[in-house]
Amino acid sequence: MALRGWAQRGWGCGQAWAPPAVGGCPELSAAQAPRLLGRRFNSFLQQKCGFRKAPRKVEPRRSDTGSSGEAYKRSALIPPLEETVFYPSPYPIRTLVKPFFFTIGFTGCAFGSAAIWQYESLKSRVQSYFDGIKADWLDSIRPQKEGDLRKEINKWWNSLTDGQRTVTGIIAANALVFCLWRVPSLHRTMIRYFTSNPASKVLCSPMLLSTFSHFSLFHMAANMYVLWSFSSSIVNILGQEQFMAVYLSAGVISNFVSYVCKVATGRYGPSLGASGAIMAVLAAVCTKIPEGRLAIIFLPVFTFTAGNALKAIIAMDTAGMILGWKFFDHAAHLGGALFGIWYITYGHELIWKNREPLVKIWHEIRTKKGGGSK
């Protein structure tokens, strides 16, 4: 009612303006009004009468609510996030700028490091050959110890294929991170750095770290079993160094695809797991050997070709991404699979076979550092 009376008074020529009391402000006399019509009028009303408009704040967004207000159904594969608050950007497209450049930069560094690693491995292989001959000779004249634990471990290690030895370190890293999830005091840190979410304040490092992160034991066991099963084939196709570059790059690329899908649909939520990277490995092997026979672990009698398995997986993840299924991060699966198909078809020729200039630069640096010896 007070505001209605204020609006009805009007602004007459030479007419004193006296607003009624609002919020405890006293009425102004005709002598006081002209002095307040100057420069300090607005600040007076703001400070005394409370007419200042409150700035608009971006409300934080909890992870358990979707953009449409529906309850977010948490997958059993991700940790509980009831107390976690995420802050989606008011400009979602800008959220993807840093992850985009991080994806490009990390992928380039991964393949560059792999090329240098291969160079160093080839250089040390000759020395390792002579060291192996010397070790065999010493073992032949050294008395053998029965029940030597170190010897048994070395025997088991040497019985593994190159691919299995390569992925052993990846499996160990995943097991370590899984154990860290069981420590309650590390829960917030693990959510911040080991789950990828475009609504989180930390965007880039989780794209890599979440590739080694599993909250569910079943999730980790299934992923590591698939990785172990395909390790020999993928390392025989690509080699140890190139495989590591593809695996790590696929993990980051699949998370970036997941970011894009979440920003486009507005369905924010955390993701974790090595599934995106493993899908790249699986897709690469199935593309290279489409007639290979595969089987499900629980149904070993039922077999199918690798090409048909890849088509079924891509169809399922495409449907899951379009329909919004939330049990898996289908966008990350699809991104990893498409990267694996692209790399085995075109990427190997475009990237790995053009590594020679980088290797020459590294060779020159090593030559100068070694005092000119080759």
PDB file of all heavy atoms in Angstrom, residues 94-128:
ATOM      1  N   ARG A  94      32.175 -22.318 -23.022  1.00  0.00           N
ATOM      2  CA  ARG A  94      33.505 -21.911 -22.571  1.00  0.00           C
ATOM      3  C   ARG A  94      34.147 -22.955 -21.669  1.00  0.00           C
ATOM      4  O   ARG A  94      35.379 -23.004 -21.537  1.00  0.00           O
ATOM      5  CB  ARG A  94      33.410 -20.579 -21.828  1.00  0.00           C
ATOM      6  CG  ARG A  94      32.944 -19.420 -22.700  1.00  0.00           C
ATOM      7  CD  ARG A  94      32.939 -18.127 -21.905  1.00  0.00           C
ATOM      8  NE  ARG A  94      32.420 -17.008 -22.694  1.00  0.00           N
ATOM      9  CZ  ARG A  94      32.285 -15.761 -22.236  1.00  0.00           C
ATOM     10  NH1 ARG A  94      32.612 -15.492 -20.977  1.00  0.00           N
ATOM     11  NH2 ARG A  94      31.805 -14.816 -23.009  1.00  0.00           N
ATOM     12  N   THR A  95      33.333 -23.786 -21.054  1.00  0.00           N
ATOM     13  CA  THR A  95      33.863 -24.842 -20.196  1.00  0.00           C
ATOM     14  C   THR A  95      34.728 -25.820 -20.981  1.00  0.00           C
ATOM     15  O   THR A  95      35.638 -26.438 -20.421  1.00  0.00           O
ATOM     16  CB  THR A  95      32.697 -25.599 -19.532  1.00  0.00           C
ATOM     17  OG1 THR A  95      31.858 -24.664 -18.860  1.00  0.00           O
ATOM     18  CG2 THR A  95      33.195 -26.615 -18.529  1.00  0.00           C
ATOM     19  N   LEU A  96      34.474 -25.964 -22.275  1.00  0.00           N
ATOM     20  CA  LEU A  96      35.172 -26.954 -23.086  1.00  0.00           C
ATOM     21  C   LEU A  96      36.482 -26.445 -23.670  1.00  0.00           C
ATOM     22  O   LEU A  96      37.219 -27.225 -24.282  1.00  0.00           O
ATOM     23  CB  LEU A  96      34.264 -27.412 -24.233  1.00  0.00           C
ATOM     24  CG  LEU A  96      32.934 -28.048 -23.829  1.00  0.00           C
ATOM     25  CD1 LEU A  96      32.093 -28.326 -25.061  1.00  0.00           C
ATOM     26  CD2 LEU A  96      33.175 -29.329 -23.042  1.00  0.00           C
ATOM     27  N   VAL A  97      36.797 -25.155 -23.488  1.00  0.00           N
ATOM     28  CA  VAL A  97      37.998 -24.598 -24.120  1.00  0.00           C
ATOM     29  C   VAL A  97      39.255 -25.219 -23.523  1.00  0.00           C
ATOM     30  O   VAL A  97      40.117 -25.756 -24.241  1.00  0.00           O
ATOM     31  CB  VAL A  97      38.011 -23.069 -23.977  1.00  0.00           C
ATOM     32  CG1 VAL A  97      39.323 -22.504 -24.514  1.00  0.00           C
ATOM     33  CG2 VAL A  97      36.838 -22.455 -24.729  1.00  0.00           C
ATOM     34  N   LYS A  98      39.394 -25.176 -22.199  1.00  0.00           N
ATOM     35  CA  LYS A  98      40.577 -25.754 -21.557  1.00  0.00           C
ATOM     36  C   LYS A  98      40.696 -27.253 -21.809  1.00  0.00           C
ATOM     37  O   LYS A  98      41.773 -27.741 -22.157  1.00  0.00           O
ATOM     38  CB  LYS A  98      40.550 -25.460 -20.056  1.00  0.00           C
ATOM     39  CG  LYS A  98      41.008 -24.060 -19.690  1.00  0.00           C
ATOM     40  CD  LYS A  98      41.096 -23.913 -18.180  1.00  0.00           C
ATOM     41  CE  LYS A  98      41.610 -22.537 -17.800  1.00  0.00           C
ATOM     42  NZ  LYS A  98      41.708 -22.382 -16.323  1.00  0.00           N
ATOM     43  N   PRO A  99      39.623 -28.030 -21.616  1.00  0.00           N
ATOM     44  CA  PRO A  99      39.744 -29.462 -21.927  1.00  0.00           C
ATOM     45  C   PRO A  99      40.115 -29.757 -23.377  1.00  0.00           C
ATOM     46  O   PRO A  99      40.822 -30.727 -23.647  1.00  0.00           O
ATOM     47  CB  PRO A  99      38.342 -30.004 -21.594  1.00  0.00           C
ATOM     48  CG  PRO A  99      37.816 -29.079 -20.563  1.00  0.00           C
ATOM     49  CD  PRO A  99      38.346 -27.734 -20.948  1.00  0.00           C
ATOM     50  N   PHE A 100      39.662 -28.913 -24.314  1.00  0.00           N
ATOM     51  CA  PHE A 100      39.995 -29.137 -25.722  1.00  0.00           C
ATOM     52  C   PHE A 100      41.499 -28.992 -25.952  1.00  0.00           C
ATOM     53  O   PHE A 100      42.135 -29.870 -26.559  1.00  0.00           O
ATOM     54  CB  PHE A 100      39.224 -28.149 -26.589  1.00  0.00           C
ATOM     55  CG  PHE A 100      39.604 -28.178 -28.042  1.00  0.00           C
ATOM     56  CD1 PHE A 100      39.196 -29.215 -28.859  1.00  0.00           C
ATOM     57  CD2 PHE A 100      40.389 -27.161 -28.590  1.00  0.00           C
ATOM     58  CE1 PHE A 100      39.563 -29.245 -30.200  1.00  0.00           C
ATOM     59  CE2 PHE A 100      40.755 -27.188 -29.919  1.00  0.00           C
ATOM     60  CZ  PHE A 100      40.336 -28.232 -30.726  1.00  0.00           C
ATOM     61  N   PHE A 101      42.078 -27.901 -25.461  1.00  0.00           N
ATOM     62  CA  PHE A 101      43.518 -27.705 -25.650  1.00  0.00           C
ATOM     63  C   PHE A 101      44.330 -28.707 -24.830  1.00  0.00           C
ATOM     64  O   PHE A 101      45.414 -29.128 -25.259  1.00  0.00           O
ATOM     65  CB  PHE A 101      43.908 -26.275 -25.286  1.00  0.00           C
ATOM     66  CG  PHE A 101      43.485 -25.267 -26.315  1.00  0.00           C
ATOM     67  CD1 PHE A 101      42.422 -24.415 -26.081  1.00  0.00           C
ATOM     68  CD2 PHE A 101      44.141 -25.170 -27.532  1.00  0.00           C
ATOM     69  CE1 PHE A 101      42.027 -23.484 -27.033  1.00  0.00           C
ATOM     70  CE2 PHE A 101      43.758 -24.252 -28.495  1.00  0.00           C
ATOM     71  CZ  PHE A 101      42.691 -23.404 -28.234  1.00  0.00           C
ATOM     72  N   PHE A 102      43.817 -29.093 -23.661  1.00  0.00           N
ATOM     73  CA  PHE A 102      44.515 -30.114 -22.876  1.00  0.00           C
ATOM     74  C   PHE A 102      44.530 -31.440 -23.630  1.00  0.00           C
ATOM     75  O   PHE A 102      45.548 -32.147 -23.631  1.00  0.00           O
ATOM     76  CB  PHE A 102      43.833 -30.286 -21.520  1.00  0.00           C
ATOM     77  CG  PHE A 102      44.420 -31.392 -20.687  1.00  0.00           C
ATOM     78  CD1 PHE A 102      45.608 -31.215 -20.005  1.00  0.00           C
ATOM     79  CD2 PHE A 102      43.777 -32.628 -20.594  1.00  0.00           C
ATOM     80  CE1 PHE A 102      46.149 -32.235 -19.237  1.00  0.00           C
ATOM     81  CE2 PHE A 102      44.305 -33.651 -19.836  1.00  0.00           C
ATOM     82  CZ  PHE A 102      45.497 -33.459 -19.154  1.00  0.00           C
ATOM     83  N   THR A 103      43.437 -31.786 -24.276  1.00  0.00           N
ATOM     84  CA  THR A 103      43.368 -33.039 -25.033  1.00  0.00           C
ATOM     85  C   THR A 103      44.372 -33.046 -26.171  1.00  0.00           C
ATOM     86  O   THR A 103      45.101 -34.031 -26.367  1.00  0.00           O
ATOM     87  CB  THR A 103      41.942 -33.245 -25.579  1.00  0.00           C
ATOM     88  OG1 THR A 103      41.012 -33.261 -24.490  1.00  0.00           O
ATOM     89  CG2 THR A 103      41.835 -34.542 -26.356  1.00  0.00           C
ATOM     90  N   ILE A 104      44.431 -31.946 -26.908  1.00  0.00           N
ATOM     91  CA  ILE A 104      45.384 -31.871 -28.024  1.00  0.00           C
ATOM     92  C   ILE A 104      46.819 -31.913 -27.513  1.00  0.00           C
ATOM     93  O   ILE A 104      47.669 -32.651 -28.033  1.00  0.00           O
ATOM     94  CB  ILE A 104      45.134 -30.598 -28.843  1.00  0.00           C
ATOM     95  CG1 ILE A 104      43.755 -30.660 -29.518  1.00  0.00           C
ATOM     96  CG2 ILE A 104      46.226 -30.407 -29.899  1.00  0.00           C
ATOM     97  CD1 ILE A 104      43.385 -29.403 -30.264  1.00  0.00           C
ATOM     98  N   GLY A 105      47.112 -31.116 -26.485  1.00  0.00           N
ATOM     99  CA  GLY A 105      48.475 -31.069 -25.963  1.00  0.00           C
ATOM    100  C   GLY A 105      48.921 -32.378 -25.356  1.00  0.00           C
ATOM    101  O   GLY A 105      50.057 -32.831 -25.589  1.00  0.00           O
ATOM    102  N   PHE A 106      48.050 -33.005 -24.593  1.00  0.00           N
ATOM    103  CA  PHE A 106      48.432 -34.265 -23.952  1.00  0.00           C
ATOM    104  C   PHE A 106      48.634 -35.363 -24.991  1.00  0.00           C
ATOM    105  O   PHE A 106      49.574 -36.165 -24.881  1.00  0.00           O
ATOM    106  CB  PHE A 106      47.369 -34.691 -22.946  1.00  0.00           C
ATOM    107  CG  PHE A 106      47.695 -35.988 -22.264  1.00  0.00           C
ATOM    108  CD1 PHE A 106      48.528 -36.011 -21.160  1.00  0.00           C
ATOM    109  CD2 PHE A 106      47.184 -37.194 -22.737  1.00  0.00           C
ATOM    110  CE1 PHE A 106      48.840 -37.205 -20.532  1.00  0.00           C
ATOM    111  CE2 PHE A 106      47.497 -38.386 -22.115  1.00  0.00           C
ATOM    112  CZ  PHE A 106      48.321 -38.391 -21.011  1.00  0.00           C
ATOM    113  N   THR A 107      47.769 -35.423 -25.991  1.00  0.00           N
ATOM    114  CA  THR A 107      47.917 -36.445 -27.027  1.00  0.00           C
ATOM    115  C   THR A 107      49.241 -36.282 -27.769  1.00  0.00           C
ATOM    116  O   THR A 107      49.956 -37.262 -28.025  1.00  0.00           O
ATOM    117  CB  THR A 107      46.742 -36.375 -28.016  1.00  0.00           C
ATOM    118  OG1 THR A 107      45.515 -36.562 -27.301  1.00  0.00           O
ATOM    119  CG2 THR A 107      46.867 -37.434 -29.089  1.00  0.00           C
ATOM    120  N   GLY A 108      49.590 -35.040 -28.110  1.00  0.00           N
ATOM    121  CA  GLY A 108      50.870 -34.801 -28.774  1.00  0.00           C
ATOM    122  C   GLY A 108      52.049 -35.193 -27.898  1.00  0.00           C
ATOM    123  O   GLY A 108      53.007 -35.833 -28.370  1.00  0.00           O
ATOM    124  N   CYS A 109      51.998 -34.835 -26.613  1.00  0.00           N
ATOM    125  CA  CYS A 109      53.078 -35.199 -25.699  1.00  0.00           C
ATOM    126  C   CYS A 109      53.168 -36.707 -25.508  1.00  0.00           C
ATOM    127  O   CYS A 109      54.271 -37.268 -25.388  1.00  0.00           O
ATOM    128  CB  CYS A 109      52.876 -34.511 -24.354  1.00  0.00           C
ATOM    129  SG  CYS A 109      53.088 -32.720 -24.386  1.00  0.00           S
ATOM    130  N   ALA A 110      52.021 -37.385 -25.482  1.00  0.00           N
ATOM    131  CA  ALA A 110      52.026 -38.838 -25.290  1.00  0.00           C
ATOM    132  C   ALA A 110      52.726 -39.540 -26.447  1.00  0.00           C
ATOM    133  O   ALA A 110      53.572 -40.425 -26.237  1.00  0.00           O
ATOM    134  CB  ALA A 110      50.590 -39.348 -25.138  1.00  0.00           C
ATOM    135  N   PHE A 111      52.404 -39.159 -27.678  1.00  0.00           N
ATOM    136  CA  PHE A 111      53.034 -39.815 -28.829  1.00  0.00           C
ATOM    137  C   PHE A 111      54.488 -39.376 -28.991  1.00  0.00           C
ATOM    138  O   PHE A 111      55.331 -40.182 -29.409  1.00  0.00           O
ATOM    139  CB  PHE A 111      52.237 -39.521 -30.095  1.00  0.00           C
ATOM    140  CG  PHE A 111      51.006 -40.371 -30.231  1.00  0.00           C
ATOM    141  CD1 PHE A 111      49.765 -39.915 -29.813  1.00  0.00           C
ATOM    142  CD2 PHE A 111      51.090 -41.649 -30.757  1.00  0.00           C
ATOM    143  CE1 PHE A 111      48.636 -40.691 -29.931  1.00  0.00           C
ATOM    144  CE2 PHE A 111      49.966 -42.447 -30.873  1.00  0.00           C
ATOM    145  CZ  PHE A 111      48.732 -41.962 -30.459  1.00  0.00           C
ATOM    146  N   GLY A 112      54.803 -38.131 -28.661  1.00  0.00           N
ATOM    147  CA  GLY A 112      56.195 -37.703 -28.703  1.00  0.00           C
ATOM    148  C   GLY A 112      57.037 -38.451 -27.689  1.00  0.00           C
ATOM    149  O   GLY A 112      58.164 -38.896 -27.992  1.00  0.00           O
ATOM    150  N   SER A 113      56.521 -38.608 -26.473  1.00  0.00           N
ATOM    151  CA  SER A 113      57.245 -39.355 -25.447  1.00  0.00           C
ATOM    152  C   SER A 113      57.398 -40.816 -25.839  1.00  0.00           C
ATOM    153  O   SER A 113      58.437 -41.437 -25.571  1.00  0.00           O
ATOM    154  CB  SER A 113      56.511 -39.240 -24.108  1.00  0.00           C
ATOM    155  OG  SER A 113      56.403 -37.888 -23.704  1.00  0.00           O
ATOM    156  N   ALA A 114      56.377 -41.373 -26.477  1.00  0.00           N
ATOM    157  CA  ALA A 114      56.465 -42.770 -26.905  1.00  0.00           C
ATOM    158  C   ALA A 114      57.541 -42.962 -27.965  1.00  0.00           C
ATOM    159  O   ALA A 114      58.257 -43.976 -27.964  1.00  0.00           O
ATOM    160  CB  ALA A 114      55.110 -43.236 -27.434  1.00  0.00           C
ATOM    161  N   ALA A 115      57.668 -41.991 -28.873  1.00  0.00           N
ATOM    162  CA  ALA A 115      58.712 -42.089 -29.903  1.00  0.00           C
ATOM    163  C   ALA A 115      60.101 -42.044 -29.277  1.00  0.00           C
ATOM    164  O   ALA A 115      61.003 -42.813 -29.657  1.00  0.00           O
ATOM    165  CB  ALA A 115      58.542 -40.960 -30.915  1.00  0.00           C
ATOM    166  N   ILE A 116      60.293 -41.155 -28.302  1.00  0.00           N
ATOM    167  CA  ILE A 116      61.587 -41.079 -27.623  1.00  0.00           C
ATOM    168  C   ILE A 116      61.842 -42.338 -26.803  1.00  0.00           C
ATOM    169  O   ILE A 116      62.968 -42.856 -26.751  1.00  0.00           O
ATOM    170  CB  ILE A 116      61.630 -39.821 -26.736  1.00  0.00           C
ATOM    171  CG1 ILE A 116      61.573 -38.563 -27.616  1.00  0.00           C
ATOM    172  CG2 ILE A 116      62.884 -39.804 -25.872  1.00  0.00           C
ATOM    173  CD1 ILE A 116      61.448 -37.274 -26.836  1.00  0.00           C
ATOM    174  N   TRP A 117      60.808 -42.845 -26.156  1.00  0.00           N
ATOM    175  CA  TRP A 117      60.928 -44.081 -25.373  1.00  0.00           C
ATOM    176  C   TRP A 117      61.361 -45.237 -26.270  1.00  0.00           C
ATOM    177  O   TRP A 117      62.232 -46.043 -25.896  1.00  0.00           O
ATOM    178  CB  TRP A 117      59.594 -44.361 -24.704  1.00  0.00           C
ATOM    179  CG  TRP A 117      59.534 -45.608 -23.883  1.00  0.00           C
ATOM    180  CD1 TRP A 117      60.593 -46.347 -23.421  1.00  0.00           C
ATOM    181  CD2 TRP A 117      58.360 -46.281 -23.446  1.00  0.00           C
ATOM    182  NE1 TRP A 117      60.151 -47.425 -22.718  1.00  0.00           N
ATOM    183  CE2 TRP A 117      58.782 -47.415 -22.701  1.00  0.00           C
ATOM    184  CE3 TRP A 117      56.995 -46.032 -23.583  1.00  0.00           C
ATOM    185  CZ2 TRP A 117      57.882 -48.296 -22.125  1.00  0.00           C
ATOM    186  CZ3 TRP A 117      56.099 -46.902 -22.998  1.00  0.00           C
ATOM    187  CH2 TRP A 117      56.535 -48.017 -22.281  1.00  0.00           C
ATOM    188  N   GLN A 118      60.777 -45.339 -27.456  1.00  0.00           N
ATOM    189  CA  GLN A 118      61.163 -46.410 -28.368  1.00  0.00           C
ATOM    190  C   GLN A 118      62.622 -46.268 -28.805  1.00  0.00           C
ATOM    191  O   GLN A 118      63.352 -47.256 -28.903  1.00  0.00           O
ATOM    192  CB  GLN A 118      60.253 -46.410 -29.590  1.00  0.00           C
ATOM    193  CG  GLN A 118      60.486 -47.584 -30.519  1.00  0.00           C
ATOM    194  CD  GLN A 118      59.667 -47.470 -31.782  1.00  0.00           C
ATOM    195  OE1 GLN A 118      59.785 -46.500 -32.518  1.00  0.00           O
ATOM    196  NE2 GLN A 118      58.825 -48.473 -32.037  1.00  0.00           N
ATOM    197  N   TYR A 119      63.051 -45.021 -29.045  1.00  0.00           N
ATOM    198  CA  TYR A 119      64.449 -44.771 -29.417  1.00  0.00           C
ATOM    199  C   TYR A 119      65.395 -45.246 -28.318  1.00  0.00           C
ATOM    200  O   TYR A 119      66.398 -45.929 -28.580  1.00  0.00           O
ATOM    201  CB  TYR A 119      64.627 -43.288 -29.701  1.00  0.00           C
ATOM    202  CG  TYR A 119      66.065 -42.850 -29.848  1.00  0.00           C
ATOM    203  CD1 TYR A 119      66.724 -42.963 -31.066  1.00  0.00           C
ATOM    204  CD2 TYR A 119      66.766 -42.322 -28.763  1.00  0.00           C
ATOM    205  CE1 TYR A 119      68.054 -42.564 -31.200  1.00  0.00           C
ATOM    206  CE2 TYR A 119      68.082 -41.917 -28.893  1.00  0.00           C
ATOM    207  CZ  TYR A 119      68.718 -42.043 -30.103  1.00  0.00           C
ATOM    208  OH  TYR A 119      70.027 -41.648 -30.233  1.00  0.00           O
ATOM    209  N   GLU A 120      65.072 -44.892 -27.075  1.00  0.00           N
ATOM    210  CA  GLU A 120      65.921 -45.289 -25.958  1.00  0.00           C
ATOM    211  C   GLU A 120      65.898 -46.807 -25.767  1.00  0.00           C
ATOM    212  O   GLU A 120      66.923 -47.404 -25.402  1.00  0.00           O
ATOM    213  CB  GLU A 120      65.467 -44.582 -24.681  1.00  0.00           C
ATOM    214  CG  GLU A 120      65.647 -43.070 -24.699  1.00  0.00           C
ATOM    215  CD  GLU A 120      67.108 -42.666 -24.753  1.00  0.00           C
ATOM    216  OE1 GLU A 120      67.959 -43.453 -24.286  1.00  0.00           O
ATOM    217  OE2 GLU A 120      67.407 -41.571 -25.264  1.00  0.00           O
ATOM    218  N   SER A 121      64.745 -47.425 -26.000  1.00  0.00           N
ATOM    219  CA  SER A 121      64.657 -48.878 -25.847  1.00  0.00           C
ATOM    220  C   SER A 121      65.525 -49.593 -26.870  1.00  0.00           C
ATOM    221  O   SER A 121      66.199 -50.585 -26.546  1.00  0.00           O
ATOM    222  CB  SER A 121      63.197 -49.321 -25.991  1.00  0.00           C
ATOM    223  OG  SER A 121      62.399 -48.761 -24.982  1.00  0.00           O
ATOM    224  N   LEU A 122      65.523 -49.097 -28.102  1.00  0.00           N
ATOM    225  CA  LEU A 122      66.352 -49.714 -29.132  1.00  0.00           C
ATOM    226  C   LEU A 122      67.837 -49.558 -28.825  1.00  0.00           C
ATOM    227  O   LEU A 122      68.638 -50.471 -29.083  1.00  0.00           O
ATOM    228  CB  LEU A 122      66.027 -49.103 -30.494  1.00  0.00           C
ATOM    229  CG  LEU A 122      64.640 -49.421 -31.058  1.00  0.00           C
ATOM    230  CD1 LEU A 122      64.378 -48.643 -32.342  1.00  0.00           C
ATOM    231  CD2 LEU A 122      64.490 -50.920 -31.302  1.00  0.00           C
ATOM    232  N   LYS A 123      68.206 -48.414 -28.248  1.00  0.00           N
ATOM    233  CA  LYS A 123      69.621 -48.207 -27.910  1.00  0.00           C
ATOM    234  C   LYS A 123      70.075 -49.129 -26.797  1.00  0.00           C
ATOM    235  O   LYS A 123      71.211 -49.627 -26.803  1.00  0.00           O
ATOM    236  CB  LYS A 123      69.844 -46.751 -27.482  1.00  0.00           C
ATOM    237  CG  LYS A 123      69.980 -45.770 -28.642  1.00  0.00           C
ATOM    238  CD  LYS A 123      70.528 -44.442 -28.164  1.00  0.00           C
ATOM    239  CE  LYS A 123      71.967 -44.593 -27.709  1.00  0.00           C
ATOM    240  NZ  LYS A 123      72.590 -43.305 -27.363  1.00  0.00           N
ATOM    241  N   SER A 124      69.206 -49.334 -25.832  1.00  0.00           N
ATOM    242  CA  SER A 124      69.593 -50.145 -24.666  1.00  0.00           C
ATOM    243  C   SER A 124      69.427 -51.644 -24.912  1.00  0.00           C
ATOM    244  O   SER A 124      69.892 -52.449 -24.104  1.00  0.00           O
ATOM    245  CB  SER A 124      68.759 -49.740 -23.449  1.00  0.00           C
ATOM    246  OG  SER A 124      67.384 -49.981 -23.679  1.00  0.00           O
ATOM    247  N   ARG A 125      68.771 -52.007 -26.012  1.00  0.00           N
ATOM    248  CA  ARG A 125      68.517 -53.424 -26.241  1.00  0.00           C
ATOM    249  C   ARG A 125      69.804 -54.203 -26.485  1.00  0.00           C
ATOM    250  O   ARG A 125      69.944 -55.351 -26.031  1.00  0.00           O
ATOM    251  CB  ARG A 125      67.565 -53.593 -27.424  1.00  0.00           C
ATOM    252  CG  ARG A 125      66.992 -54.978 -27.565  1.00  0.00           C
ATOM    253  CD  ARG A 125      65.775 -54.970 -28.458  1.00  0.00           C
ATOM    254  NE  ARG A 125      64.697 -54.177 -27.874  1.00  0.00           N
ATOM    255  CZ  ARG A 125      63.555 -53.901 -28.510  1.00  0.00           C
ATOM    256  NH1 ARG A 125      63.359 -54.362 -29.735  1.00  0.00           N
ATOM    257  NH2 ARG A 125      62.629 -53.196 -27.917  1.00  0.00           N
ATOM    258  N   VAL A 126      70.762 -53.600 -27.182  1.00  0.00           N
ATOM    259  CA  VAL A 126      72.042 -54.288 -27.438  1.00  0.00           C
ATOM    260  C   VAL A 126      72.783 -54.522 -26.137  1.00  0.00           C
ATOM    261  O   VAL A 126      73.296 -55.615 -25.874  1.00  0.00           O
ATOM    262  CB  VAL A 126      72.906 -53.463 -28.415  1.00  0.00           C
ATOM    263  CG1 VAL A 126      74.273 -54.121 -28.601  1.00  0.00           C
ATOM    264  CG2 VAL A 126      72.195 -53.328 -29.747  1.00  0.00           C
ATOM    265  N   GLN A 127      72.834 -53.475 -25.281  1.00  0.00           N
ATOM    266  CA  GLN A 127      73.501 -53.624 -24.001  1.00  0.00           C
ATOM    267  C   GLN A 127      72.797 -54.657 -23.131  1.00  0.00           C
ATOM    268  O   GLN A 127      73.457 -55.447 -22.436  1.00  0.00           O
ATOM    269  CB  GLN A 127      73.533 -52.261 -23.274  1.00  0.00           C
ATOM    270  CG  GLN A 127      74.308 -52.277 -21.961  1.00  0.00           C
ATOM    271  CD  GLN A 127      75.778 -52.587 -22.161  1.00  0.00           C
ATOM    272  OE1 GLN A 127      76.386 -52.173 -23.157  1.00  0.00           O
ATOM    273  NE2 GLN A 127      76.350 -53.340 -21.221  1.00  0.00           N
ATOM    274  N   SER A 128      71.497 -54.687 -23.199  1.00  0.00           N
ATOM    275  CA  SER A 128      70.743 -55.672 -22.418  1.00  0.00           C
ATOM    276  C   SER A 128      71.030 -57.091 -22.903  1.00  0.00           C
ATOM    277  O   SER A 128      71.050 -58.037 -22.103  1.00  0.00           O
ATOM    278  CB  SER A 128      69.246 -55.393 -22.520  1.00  0.00           C
ATOM    279  OG  SER A 128      68.930 -54.130 -21.987  1.00  0.00           O
TER     280      SER A 128
END
